[in-house]
Amino acid sequence: MVITSETAHATSDKAIATYDAIIIGAGFGGLYALHHLRDQMGLSVRSFDGASDVGGTWWYNRYPGARVDAPSSPFYGYTFSQELVDEWVWPETQSKQSDVLAYIEHVADKFDLRKDIQFDTFVTDARYDEDTQHWTIETDSGERATARFLVCAIGALFVANKPDYPGIDDFAGDIHHTGRWPHEPVSFEGKRVAVIGTGSSGVQVVPEIAKTADHLTVLQRTPQYALPARNKPLAEEELDQYRKDWSELRASMRKRGGWPFRTSKLAPADHTFDERQERYEEMWERGGMHMAINSFTGVYTDEDLNEEISEFVRSKIRATVNDPETADKLMPSYPFGTKRLILDNGYFETFNRDNVALVDLRENPIEEFTKTGVRTTDGEHPIDILVLATGFDAVSGSMLKLNPKGRGGVPLKEKWAERFDNNLGMTIAGYPNLFMIHGPGSPGVFFTMPLGAELQTAWIESCLRHLDDANLGSMETTEEAEANWDAEVTGIANRTLYPRADSWYMGANIPGKPRQFLGHLIGSRYFDRLTEVAEAGFPDFTFEDRR
Ligand code: N01
């Protein structure tokens, strides 16, 4: 690689450190990008992260009960290093947050990543200079740095959604958002607690809080489907088998949407109603995501099948929750799986406890917070601690918070006022040499995030090599390519039931956010496309000579 590392170049005021690449974020995506660009490509790289250490979402989301809610832990880790796979011991199928964080810390140690990461530093601005073909970033301490390439690995689930109910700032007790959980332990012992939000985080935190709180009020806006996680210890022999088969498993993950599991080939029409019920029962017992991926074909596209599974899960909720009135309030009505599927560890059982009450906010909306509690239309609920499990301004939110200024100083907020236009979920017209990892329109959460980041970073390498081979200074996608990409991502989503739900996938959880499906649903096709674009010499991009 001929890309040269300058050390510092003088400007009018003070010397600004200059790198080949600046990476924002030290979670799964940013850490891999740092390792790849620095160690595989020999570039000079500086990373920044607002957190005090590595881990990204796993550093922030340390609420009680937080754990991987995906099929199986060994596949929720990096895939690129056999040595790493061989040496790491995942204790459970659905690892707890502290185990995932320990893994990420181990990766940072093993590849000596921390020395090039500046922690406790938020990047507050990023501007492209057309003359120098460099990006300049500014941090919250006023420091600046510049680089040819800007890699934004700033998290699909980072910007916390904090509802601004009347009076919430007057509430005198503690307020904790699950996505910004304190590092010191939070005790619920003897406290009256309210949780707003019943998505993945709410469903994980509720059973844990209920164990020690004096009283817990769950304030629910939308009832959810949740499948039993059936978390279990991972036997050493099982891990050994994975290690032995790793290269095939990795190839299979790439081909099969991020997980090395075959999906069901059973057509629902080939089976009687009773046979299908038997199969749902089997999937329920197996737990995890099996119901979605292994029951029958067409769970996300076949309305009748989807409704049958929805009803099956509702029947399980009814059978679990003792009080029929509470069970009624917990009945989801949107199509199964079209909001992020939730894996639960005793969530519905929690409503059988004497110290837990459910408030249906659709019937009894929140009117206001007071100093001592929350008032809904059915009365006042006195509380000491409020937990907001209200999710995130997902996928697009962190890019908009950064709000990079591209060609002509155009802020991303202006460009993305109505749609999150980009090409391949990674590049934006008007923002040369900027790359997003897990951006809108990429597979992101619909694939395994660590492997997705590895594959996207490999594509960034092909871009940089292409520029270098031809002595080019910048590359930039076109608006036409963005329109085509939008049509492809939206077209795939529209062939499914996903757009029927008011989910964060659709941007529907944030008031005023444009409604747009935020992820590419076919990971294998997406990564094939990245390869094709690179092999074809980046047909949807324009280039400038290096200045
Ligand atoms: O957030 P969510 P999350 N008033 O947006 C409700 C990943 N994750 O943090 O459904 C009242 O899913 C909102 O109601 P509604 C995973 O990808 C992974 O739980 O919009 N309620 C909903 O119930 C997940 O999907 C792990 O009507 C309000 C809840 O708050 C993603 O993170 C663990 C409200 C938010 O649910 C986000 O999950 C946890 C308001 N104003 C999360 N605003 C793993 O273990 C929102 N709500 C890997």
Side-chain angles (χ1 to χ4, degrees):
M1 202 74 190
V2 194
I3 292 173
T4 50
S5 329
E6 301 130 79
T7 44
H9 78 106
T11 66
S12 50
D13 41 353
K14 60 177 183 175
I16 300 182
T18 299
Y19 306 93
D20 294 321
I22 287 173
I23 297 170
I24 311 178
F28 265 120
L31 287 182
Y32 182 74
L34 170 57
H35 168 62
H36 190 106
L37 268 52
R38 187 193 68 181
D39 303 334
Q40 317 277 318
M41 296 180 67
L43 304 186
S44 68
V45 185
R46 185 72 169 161
S47 294
F48 295 87
D49 198 298
S52 305
D53 204 347
V54 295
T57 196
W58 294 100
W59 189 87
Y60 284 102
N61 286 263
R62 48 183 75 218
Y63 56 86
R67 50 173 73 244
V68 173
D69 59 357
S72 194
S73 280
F75 310 111
Y76 189 81
Y78 292 116
T79 70
F80 68 94
S81 161
Q82 178 76 46
E83 200 178 289
L84 184 58
V85 171
D86 287 347
E87 71 196 8
W88 190 255
V89 179
W90 291 104
E92 296 174 295
T93 53
Q94 272 101 24
S95 297
K96 347 189 247 293
Q97 173 269 341
S98 54
D99 288 332
V100 182
L101 193 58
Y103 169 79
I104 299 174
E105 287 168 352
H106 169 76
V107 171
D109 290 339
K110 183 178 174 72
F111 298 102
D112 200 9
L113 298 176
R114 284 190 182 88
K115 69 175 184 208
D116 290 306
I117 307 171
Q118 194 165 319
F119 294 108
D120 294 310
T121 308
F122 278 102
V123 175
T124 50
D125 195 23
R127 283 170 193 274
Y128 185 68
D129 182 325
E130 291 166 50
D131 295 332
T132 61
Q133 297 170 318
H134 271 62
W135 281 93
T136 299
I137 61 103
E138 190 164 331
T139 72
D140 53 356
S141 60
E143 188 183 349
R144 291 194 290 161
T146 178
R148 281 185 70 198
F149 305 105
L150 182 64
V151 178
C152 298
I154 49 185
L157 298 161
F158 173 67
V159 178
N161 171 36
K162 294 185 180 155
D164 62 348
Y165 283 112
I168 195 161
D169 293 335
D170 300 330
F171 174 63
D174 289 337
I175 303 182
H176 301 299
H177 191 287
T178 46
R180 291 289 178 282
W181 202 259
H183 283 229
E184 55 286 352
V186 177
S187 170
F188 297 102
E189 200 81 46
K191 305 279 190 207
R192 295 161 306 176
V193 185
V195 174
I196 305 184
T198 53
S200 307
S201 306
V203 166
Q204 287 185 335
V205 83
V206 158
E208 295 302 314
I209 295 176
K211 284 178 191 163
T212 56
D214 179 54
H215 190 266
L216 170 63
T217 307
V218 179
L219 298 156
Q220 168 196 270
R221 186 164 72 181
T222 307
Q224 298 268 23
Y225 301 96
L227 302 170
R230 310 255 188 252
N231 176 45
K232 57 180 192 316
L234 263 168
E236 193 55 33
E237 307 80 67
E238 196 178 340
L239 280 172
D240 271 344
Q241 193 59 47
Y242 290 142
R243 290 171 182 137
K244 213 160 116 276
D245 300 338
W246 194 249
S247 54
E248 296 93 80
L249 286 168
R250 185 176 195 237
S252 171
M253 287 166 77
R254 158 73 177 75
K255 216 169 67 192
R256 295 208 168 95
W259 307 102
F261 310 116
R262 287 181 191 285
T263 50
S264 175
K265 296 272 179 289
L266 301 177
D270 294 343
H271 298 266
T272 64
F273 176 81
D274 288 347
E275 285 167 350
R276 291 198 298 271
Q277 294 294 317
E278 243 175 71
R279 181 118 187 123
Y280 304 147
E281 197 63 55
E282 193 190 324
M283 295 303 116
W284 183 265
E285 284 315 309
R286 283 171 76 179
M289 300 285 181
H290 283 289
M291 185 73 76
I293 61 175
N294 245 335
S295 54
F296 292 95
T297 56
V299 172
Y300 292 98
T301 49
D302 176 336
E303 235 172 286
D304 294 339
L305 171 67
N306 187 290
E307 176 48 27
E308 200 170 89
I309 294 177
S310 302
E311 189 46 35
F312 177 87
V313 180
R314 285 181 211 120
S315 74
K316 290 292 184 188
I317 301 171
R318 259 183 229 112
T320 308
V321 178
N322 297 339
D323 173 37
E325 221 177 286
T326 306
D328 272 354
K329 290 180 188 165
L330 288 165
M331 287 305 135
S333 57
Y334 64 89
F336 169 84
T338 53
K339 277 164 159 319
R340 166 67 147 78
L341 259 184
I342 298 175
L343 301 190
D344 99 79
N345 294 280
Y347 175 69
F348 294 114
E349 290 82 348
T350 303
F351 293 96
N352 295 333
R353 296 177 67 111
D354 292 338
N355 66 335
V356 177
L358 177 68
V359 175
D360 180 348
L361 294 179
R362 295 168 310 175
E363 263 174 37
N364 298 113
I366 293 174
E367 287 182 328
E368 61 167 351
F369 278 81
T370 63
K371 248 176 144 48
T372 54
V374 55
R375 196 191 329 274
T376 57
T377 51
D378 63 343
E380 170 117 26
H381 307 273
I383 52 173
D384 306 306
I385 301 178
L386 172 64
V387 172
L388 296 174
T390 43
F392 305 90
D393 181 356
V395 189
S396 54
S398 42
M399 281 303 292
L400 285 169
K401 189 172 161 66
L402 175 67
N403 196 23
K405 320 297 180 298
R407 258 184 215 293
V410 174
L412 190 63
K413 276 187 184 161
E414 195 175 299
K415 170 154 177 128
W416 277 8
E418 282 171 19
R419 277 192 96 70
F420 309 115
D421 289 330
N422 70 79
N423 186 21
L424 301 170
M426 293 187 70
T427 62
I428 308 171
Y431 298 73
N433 291 0
L434 179 153
F435 299 95
M436 297 180 286
I437 290 183
H438 301 314
S442 73
V445 295
F446 296 101
F447 201 77
T448 34
M449 307 288 273
L451 176 58
E454 290 174 28
L455 297 168
Q456 286 190 315
T457 306
W459 188 78
I460 295 174
E461 172 175 356
S462 59
C463 294
L464 271 49
R465 289 198 184 279
H466 184 83
L467 291 177
D468 199 36
D469 289 348
N471 199 29
L472 297 166
S474 73
M475 69 184 287
E476 182 184 348
T477 193
T478 62
E479 288 183 0
E480 192 190 351
E482 289 185 329
N484 291 338
W485 187 247
D486 186 1
E488 171 163 343
V489 173
T490 308
I492 294 170
N494 285 346
R495 292 199 288 279
T496 72
L497 301 169
Y498 278 107
R500 305 252 185 114
D502 288 333
S503 63
W504 64 257
Y505 294 158
M506 291 297 301
N509 62 328
I510 301 295
K513 184 166 174 169
R515 199 175 167 103
Q516 174 179 348
F517 197 76
L518 289 168
H520 192 290
L521 283 171
I522 312 177
S524 54
R525 186 192 294 179
Y526 170 86
F527 290 108
D528 285 347
R529 174 67 73 83
L530 289 190
T531 308
E532 286 157 19
V533 168
E535 285 176 356
F538 302 93
D540 289 335
F541 288 80
T542 59
F543 298 89
E544 284 179 349
D545 288 337
R546 188 155 185 189
R547 300 210 176 93

